[in-house]
Amino acid sequence: MNAPLPLLPFADPGAGYRALQPEIDAAVARALASGWYILGREGEAFEAEFAAWLGNKPDAPQMHAVGCANGTDAIMLILRGMGIGEGSTVVTVSHTAVATVAAIEMVGATPLLLDIDPDTYTMDADELASVLADPPPGLPPIRAVIPVHIYGQPVDLGPIKEACDAAGVLLIEDCAQCHGAELHGWKLGTIGHAAAFSLYPTKNLGALGDGGILATPDAELAARIAAIRQYGWKRRYISDLQGVNSRLDEVQAAILRVKLQHLDRQNARRREIADAYDAALSGTSLTPPTRRAEGYHVFHLYVLRHAGRDAYMSKLKSLGIGTGIHYPMPVHTQPAYEGRVPLGPANCAETARAAQEVFSLPMFPEMTDEQVARVCLALRQL
Ligand SMILES: *Cc1c(COP(=O)(O)O)cnc(C)c1O
C-alpha cells in the first residue's frame, strides 16, 4: 500500500514565503544592509503604497496609513487616536477573533457584543440599530462601532453606516481578514472613519512575523496616531501626547512591500479555489458559504457549517484534508469574558450556534491545482 499523503493544512504561510523567496530575500537583504531597522524608509514606503492601493478606486477618499506592531494594536491605536477609552462603550460582535474585544478593553472602554446574521456571520444590523436607538441601561455612552469583515466577507456596511451616522457614533472597520475585499466597488477599509488590518503571517496580506497597519481618510487622525504609536512624540524625545510603543519594523515592511504587489492576484486565486469547492459541494448535504451579491469576498477562510461538523471533519482528516474551526468558542463564553462582558438584546444566540457548527477547509493562494483537486474529490465523498 502507498504511504498516506501528508495532511493538507488549512493554511501554509511557509508556502507563501517559498513562492516569493527570491524577491523577499532581496528585500530583507536591502533592509538589513540599510543600517536602519525601525520606522524608516521601508515603513514609510509601505504605508504610502498601502494607502494608494486602498484608495485606487473611483470616488475613493485619499487614504492615510500608519504601520504598527500588530492588528490588535491597530484597533487600540485607532480608539486612542479618537479619544475613546474609559467611560465609553464600543459595540462589536462576539463572533470574531478575541483580539477585537481585547483591543477595546486595552483602552479601558466597555465592549458591547452583538449577534451575527447566521448566513454571512457578520454583525446583525437590525440589532445594532435597536441598540443605538435604545442603549442598554447602565452602560457608558456608545462612541464607536467595530463591525468585523469576517472570513473575507464584507459586512453590509450600508445600514450600519446609516445607523452610526444618525447616532453620531464613529465607524471603525476590523479589516484583519479582508485585505482587498470590496462592497459596491469600494475597498473595505475606506468606508468607515478608520480601519485596522492585521498583518499576521496567515492573513491575506501577511508579514513573516507580527505586523499591523491602520488606515483612515482623516489626515489629522493619522498624524495623531503616528505620534501615539511612538511614545506620543511629534518631535524626537518630546512626548506631546500620551503614547505607547507599537511600531512596524523595517524588515517586515520590506517584506510586506513585496507581498502587497501580489495580493490582488492571490485574492483572485483564493476565489478560484472557492469556486472549485462550491462546485464540488453541489449534490452533497453541505451548502457553500454565502457570498454577498454586492461584495467581493476574498476568502481569508472558506467556512462550511453543519450540525454534524465533527463527523465531517474526521472524514476529511481520514482523506488527508486538514480543517480548522473559526472560532470554537464565542468571545462571550470564554473564561476571561464569561458573565462579565455585556451582550446585546439578541444574547448572541446565533453566535453560539455558529460556534458549534462551523469548520474551515484548506485555503491559501499557493495551493496547487492537484491539492485543490484532492480537496474537491474528498468533498464529493461527503
Ligand atoms: C487576526 C485578527 C485580529 C488581530 O490581529 P493580530 O495581528 O493577531 O493582533 C483582529 N481581528 C480579527 C478579526 C482578526 O482575525
Side-chain angles (χ1 to χ4, degrees):
M1 241 179 74
N2 290 329
L5 286 168
L7 196 69
L8 178 63
F10 75 84
D12 188 356
Y17 167 57
R18 287 188 299 275
L20 303 173
Q21 188 167 355
E23 273 180 88
I24 288 176
D25 287 356
V28 169
R30 184 180 71 225
L32 292 179
S34 76
W36 190 278
Y37 303 112
I38 302 260
L39 296 188
R41 281 194 195 150
E42 297 289 343
E44 277 169 26
F46 174 58
E47 288 170 345
E49 287 158 12
F50 188 81
W53 169 82
L54 259 185
N56 73 351
K57 287 280 171 183
D59 305 325
Q62 199 204 327
M63 299 299 292
H64 307 273
V66 182
C68 62
N70 54 66
T72 313
D73 278 3
I75 301 171
M76 176 273 288
L77 287 166
I78 290 170
L79 291 169
R80 282 191 72 135
M82 290 174 166
I84 294 172
E86 227 174 298
S88 305
T89 294
V90 177
V91 181
T92 188
V93 285
S94 183
H95 189 75
T96 183
V98 76
T100 318
V101 182
I104 294 169
E105 293 202 323
M106 273 170 88
V107 301
T110 303
L112 171 62
L113 305 184
L114 301 189
D115 208 0
I116 49 169
D117 157 45
D119 240 13
T120 57
Y121 306 104
T122 56
M123 181 180 276
D124 179 340
D126 293 335
E127 189 184 13
L128 175 67
S130 92
V131 152
L132 289 177
D134 183 18
L139 290 183
I142 296 172
R143 299 277 317 280
V145 175
I146 311 182
V148 179
H149 303 293
I150 197 107
Y151 310 149
Q153 168 90 281
V155 177
D156 186 10
L157 285 179
I160 287 180
K161 190 172 182 336
E162 213 171 284
C164 287
D165 287 347
V169 158
L170 294 164
L171 176 60
I172 301 166
E173 298 177 63
D174 183 334
C175 291
Q177 301 192 4
C178 73
H179 318 65
E182 295 175 11
L183 185 68
H184 296 295
W186 284 52
K187 275 220 182 73
L188 299 183
T190 63
I191 299 168
H193 294 97
F197 294 82
S198 168
L199 303 168
Y200 184 79
T202 59
K203 301 289 161 94
N204 288 41
L205 177 62
L208 301 179
D210 264 318
I213 193 163
L214 58 95
T216 172
D218 180 343
E220 251 176 68
L221 176 64
R224 196 156 57 242
I225 291 171
I228 292 170
R229 80 170 155 183
Q230 177 162 247
Y231 321 126
W233 288 355
K234 290 180 183 165
R235 303 160 283 172
R236 205 166 177 75
Y237 304 126
I238 313 291
S239 294
D240 288 307
L241 301 167
Q242 255 186 336
V244 298
N245 175 7
S246 180
R247 300 175 296 214
L248 180 66
D249 71 69
E250 289 286 282
V251 170
Q252 295 304 334
I255 293 167
L256 287 158
R257 289 180 69 194
V258 171
K259 292 189 114 190
L260 180 60
Q261 289 172 31
H262 297 274
L263 177 57
D264 292 338
R265 174 180 58 76
Q266 291 176 342
N267 281 338
R269 173 63 177 161
R270 286 175 183 269
R271 287 171 57 89
E272 207 172 78
I273 297 167
D275 289 345
Y277 290 174
D278 282 4
L281 287 167
S282 76
T284 74
S285 50
L286 292 162
T287 317
T290 300
R291 303 186 195 191
R292 254 185 226 296
E294 65 283 9
Y296 183 82
H297 193 317
V298 292
F299 289 98
H300 172 59
L301 294 166
Y302 188 95
V303 174
L304 292 172
R305 129 173 241 174
H306 198 281
R309 162 179 80 190
D310 295 356
Y312 285 108
M313 290 174 71
S314 322
K315 178 87 191 281
L316 286 167
K317 190 172 177 194
S318 74
L319 296 169
I321 310 299
T323 54
I325 297 179
H326 303 87
Y327 296 89
M329 254 184 134
V331 175
H332 72 277
T333 67
Q334 297 181 19
Y337 298 95
E338 194 180 13
R340 190 171 69 74
V341 287
L343 305 182
N347 245 330
C348 292
E350 290 297 347
T351 299
R353 209 163 295 138
Q356 298 295 317
E357 299 182 352
V358 294
F359 64 107
S360 313
L361 297 183
M363 174 56 80
F364 48 96
E366 297 77 21
M367 283 180 79
T368 62
D369 289 343
E370 186 275 329
Q371 288 173 321
V372 176
R374 244 174 80 198
V375 179
C376 290
L377 188 66
L379 290 177
R380 287 195 194 95
Q381 297 172 54
L382 293 179

